[in-house]
Amino acid sequence: MSQPNDPFSGLSAFLAAAQTGGFTAAAARLGVSPAAVSQAVKALEARLGTPLFIRTTRRVGLTEAGAALFARAAPAAAEMAAAIEAAGAMGKEPSGLLRLTVPHMAVPLIIEPTLGILRRTHPKVAVEIAVEDATVDLTARGFDAGIRIGEYIEPGMVAVRLTRDIFWSVVASPDYLAEHDRPRQPEDLTSHEAIRYRFPSSGTIYRWEFERDGKTLSVDPRGSVIVNDGALLISSARAGLGLAYVADIAVETELATGTLIRVLEPFLPKTPGLFLYFPQRAQTQPKLRAFIDLARQVLRP
């Protein structure tokens, strides 16, 4: 129980509410009542002499003081939690909640083959998986680790390879190609309909990248369909709505069955594949090590 002069009193409630965007969600994460979270935050605000949250009927948001506190306290709290867990984990069975953020692409490739095995072999490890394609601040969102394409991992993170390199592909359905001339050069895209992808985090639309004679060429094709979800991008291509620029590992089944066909192959680049990434302080956590070891074993082929 926290003492009146404890500088950390109410901090866990504050961090949970800031990360989840509400007292109810924070209470569920901490295993207490929403009233207990609200009371702890109010006591912290009273002690600091400034409000930390802007409260509305739908959610709570951080004030300027709350945002400043969260920016400094969240990384420190994560470091302390990792240190405590590492100290108490020597020789112990992996346990606790493993929180992962993964893109849609990783669900069939990595999560589905490993999740059931992880739960059977390490029943004390609970798993929470957030599927989102946007770039995520692991510490701010309270995740233990994430999975992303290698080139999009922020600097300073430990990265563990999970898949082979990615060969990018421009694909279309047989029906689309039956109605349109097959593009032979990147410049031919001006006469085609493209399904365009908008990055969820930055809001920018992805420019298609090609290589020719050792030089990089980027094209911003026209298109009447814009999505911010990789799965919808692929299904739209299958439906014949246009050409799509995708990672080959995300459409292996479609390419093998012929429901999608590659074009412009000589001009497409290769990039690093999918990696599990996490802060260096987290690599000693038994629950994370258990997932890494299992993923390497299951995904080795």
Side-chain angles (χ1 to χ4, degrees), residues 105-106 109-110 147-149 160-166 249 271-276 299:
M105 181 196 311
L109 295 173
I110 297 168
I147 297 175
R148 291 294 184 275
I149 294 174
V160 178
R161 177 182 287 275
L162 297 177
T163 73
R164 61 170 174 80
D165 286 344
I166 289 172
I249 60 174
T271 60
L274 289 169
F275 287 75
L276 181 76
L299 303 175

Side-chain angles (χ1 to χ4, degrees), residues 168 182 262-269:
W168 291 95
R182 190 185 185 102
R262 278 194 183 105
V263 297
L264 298 175
E265 289 185 69
F267 305 99
L268 288 156

Side-chain angles (χ1 to χ4, degrees), residues 239-253:
L241 300 184
L243 299 169
Y245 192 101
V246 299
D248 66 331
I249 60 174
V251 291
E252 284 182 327
T253 300

